Amino acid sequence: MYEAKHIAVLGLGIAGVHSVRVLVDLGAIVYAWDDNESARLYAQKYAQKQRISGAFQVVDLQRIDMHGLDFVVVSPGISDSHPVCVRAIQNNIPTVGEIKLRYDLSPDSTFVGITGTNGKSTTTALVAHILQSVGVPCAVGGNFGVPAIALPDLGAGGVYVLEMSSYMLTRLRGMQFSVAGLLNITPDHLAWHGSVDNYIEAKMHIFDRMSDGAVVCTDDPISAKIAHMLHRRGCKVRTVSYTEAAETPCLRGTHNRQNMAVASAICEKLAIDTADIVSACATFEGLKHRQQVVYTDDTVTFVNDSKATNVQSTVMAISCYQDIHWIAGGREKDGEYTALSPFLHRISHAYLIGEGAENIGAFLHKHHIPYTISGCMQQAVSDAYTRVKSTAKVKSTHAVVLLSPACASWDQFNSFNHRGDIFCQCVDNVIRGA
């Protein structure tokens, strides 16, 4: 398939390095590059360790003659404005994602794609959980977990369940999902896409070349419009709403009911029995950092929702609880918190951290919501626990200490996962010290 083809790989993270390995093994001549020197050095050491021969070389892709390239594999997150992508586009060289390689290598398998602004990872994991519960061979990857190219070959009867970010969806050339689900659309990643319209267009690529198998949750107006556009295009669409699913102990709130509705419809498209779907949803334990219950006792429950890196995700979390002691803050995306206004009455006190603390505090002050500038996670957890315990005797409600930052994590942490892990550790510390 790729023998003797000249292929460039831009970006040498996990997906890029695996792409190099697979392409070289299949006989391609590979030119690879990453703007980060340490990534380039890692790729070279990896090649030596794996005994990848002269068919692979690390070379500045801005300096090579692109006319001889068959295509460029571009890592997720690298935009079309990158000089190498610009050169490729100008020279009519296709740019593809590593998911296209997995698709080409597994023609007998079924490919399921899941996208949306929020809920992608939970829905992807839930679909896999349902399939596994009835014995269907499947593998999960894409934007969630392992890059698709690093997944095993499943062969006929196997199902790849892939979380698809808007970045990935811009490079699906020649690929068609058997079943694809759209959860929701709210503005996000606008710096990368340039506009809301471009972001919506990227999300719609998940339905490219499909005539059947589309699942769209129409709870928001943009997604409802997309469903209508697909109908007009001649694609059969199964529309769903959160009202079609009931809460489970680990999947609470409207957004999780939305996740279940989409996951259930996808599995119905894959011919899974409805009773088996319902049973599997009831046993799904959820994912870390997504409304993960860390600790609970008679007076307080600690919830880790570190994955809430934007305001809309935090709205979804806050809508699930009462008597909330809210830990929020970090690197702001747009500094706009108005969407929280209808739910602020659920917040008893806020504990603010990171770069966004002052701005969020000013917003809360206007709405007469008490808050404390805690500064760091350890102090915020300690402040919240102290206040909850001091008021427990006069309050009859069960308090919830909710980490749902509404901000990115990069000011104080390496990732939202790191932030959530630190929260869990801080909770363990205050409980042990109590």
Side-chain angles (χ1 to χ4, degrees):
M1 179 182 297
Y2 299 127
E3 188 174 0
K5 290 188 179 294
H6 292 252
I7 301 168
V9 175
L10 176 61
L12 293 171
I14 297 174
V17 168
H18 274 88
S19 296
V20 169
R21 172 67 185 272
V22 168
L23 290 168
V24 171
D25 285 350
L26 292 172
I29 300 163
V30 180
Y31 311 89
W33 183 255
D34 193 297
D35 293 338
N36 186 298
E37 183 179 7
S38 61
R40 298 196 299 269
L41 291 173
Y42 170 78
Q44 289 171 323
K45 290 179 180 178
Y46 177 85
Q48 292 171 357
K49 184 177 180 180
Q50 299 297 321
R51 298 182 180 178
I52 297 176
S53 63
F56 159 64
Q57 59 179 306
V58 174
V59 58
D60 189 345
L61 297 178
Q62 295 187 56
R63 299 178 182 275
I64 69 170
D65 180 3
M66 281 201 161
H67 291 93
L69 293 179
D70 290 280
F71 58 87
V72 182
V73 181
V74 183
S75 290
I78 298 178
S79 76
D80 285 344
S81 63
H82 189 283
V84 173
C85 295
V86 171
R87 285 193 69 208
I89 293 167
Q90 289 174 343
N91 288 281
N92 296 315
I93 308 298
T95 58
V96 303
E98 50 86 21
I99 284 175
K100 176 62 165 57
L101 301 183
R102 169 50 59 203
Y103 181 79
D104 288 345
L105 294 170
S106 305
D108 298 323
S109 299
T110 297
F111 282 77
V112 173
I114 296 165
T115 197
T117 305
N118 297 300
K120 297 185 293 296
S121 296
T122 296
T123 305
T124 300
L126 179 56
V127 169
H129 176 75
I130 295 168
L131 295 176
Q132 290 163 352
S133 73
V134 295
V136 174
C138 67
V140 177
N143 192 56
F144 170 60
V146 180
I149 192 60
L151 295 173
D153 185 6
L154 297 177
V159 181
Y160 291 99
V161 187
L162 304 178
E163 177 184 320
M164 300 298 296
S165 71
S166 56
Y167 307 156
M168 294 174 170
L169 289 171
T170 61
R171 300 192 178 102
L172 290 183
R173 296 174 185 273
M175 180 176 176
Q176 178 183 326
F177 286 105
S178 302
V179 183
L182 172 65
L183 288 154
N184 46 61
I185 296 255
T186 55
D188 202 6
H189 303 303
L190 301 189
W192 198 93
H193 291 286
S195 70
V196 174
D197 288 342
N198 289 345
Y199 176 63
I200 294 170
E201 182 182 358
K203 288 293 190 185
M204 284 195 67
H205 281 306
I206 200 166
F207 303 113
D208 283 355
R209 291 166 285 279
M210 291 181 68
S211 59
D212 197 357
V215 175
V216 179
C217 183
T218 54
D219 290 335
D220 68 89
I222 297 176
S223 296
K225 182 178 179 180
I226 287 174
H228 179 68
M229 292 169 66
L230 290 171
H231 276 300
R232 292 184 61 184
R233 199 169 78 186
C235 179
K236 294 181 181 179
V237 183
R238 165 79 156 91
T239 59
V240 300
S241 168
Y242 77 93
T243 57
E244 298 177 28
E247 285 188 350
T248 72
C250 293
L251 293 170
R252 300 185 60 186
T254 297
H255 62 297
N256 274 320
R257 293 170 66 188
Q258 190 178 86
N259 297 340
M260 282 189 284
V262 171
S264 298
I266 286 172
C267 289
E268 287 171 5
K269 291 282 187 182
L270 296 172
I272 307 302
D273 184 77
T274 301
D276 290 331
I277 293 171
V278 172
S279 176
C281 286
T283 61
F284 182 64
E285 295 183 354
L287 298 176
K288 286 182 67 177
H289 314 302
R290 297 157 178 86
Q291 290 199 52
Q292 171 196 7
V293 175
V294 176
Y295 172 84
T296 188
D297 62 21
D298 292 340
T299 59
V300 62
T301 295
F302 286 88
V303 178
N304 169 21
D305 193 42
S306 182
K307 181 62 171 64
T309 60
N310 58 50
V311 172
Q312 194 58 44
S313 295
T314 295
V315 167
M316 293 175 181
I318 289 178
S319 67
C320 296
Y321 308 101
Q322 300 286 347
D323 192 11
I324 297 170
H325 289 253
W326 180 38
I327 299 176
R331 181 158 296 172
E332 296 177 289
K333 289 193 170 180
D334 59 17
E336 177 54 61
Y337 301 97
T338 305
L340 293 168
S341 299
F343 305 94
L344 292 178
H345 65 281
R346 296 170 179 263
I347 298 173
S348 298
H349 200 97
Y351 310 85
L352 308 178
I353 65 174
E355 293 176 4
E358 295 292 341
N359 198 18
I360 298 173
F363 168 77
L364 295 174
H365 179 73
K366 286 195 298 186
H367 292 272
H368 311 291
I369 303 299
Y371 67 92
T372 299
I373 302 291
S374 297
C376 66
M377 185 68 73
Q378 180 178 355
Q379 190 62 50
V381 172
S382 177
D383 290 344
Y385 187 67
T386 299
R387 187 176 298 275
V388 166
K389 287 302 180 181
S390 67
T391 59
K393 293 179 180 180
V394 296
K395 278 193 171 186
S396 58
T397 58
H398 185 95
V400 175
V401 177
L402 172 66
L403 169 67
S404 190
C407 295
S409 58
W410 305 313
D411 56 336
Q412 295 181 320
F413 308 95
N414 298 329
S415 64
F416 76 82
N417 305 78
H418 181 217
R419 176 170 61 189
D421 289 341
I422 295 299
F423 172 75
C424 293
Q425 184 60 58
C426 291
V427 171
D428 186 62
N429 290 342
V430 298
I431 298 302
R432 287 175 180 273

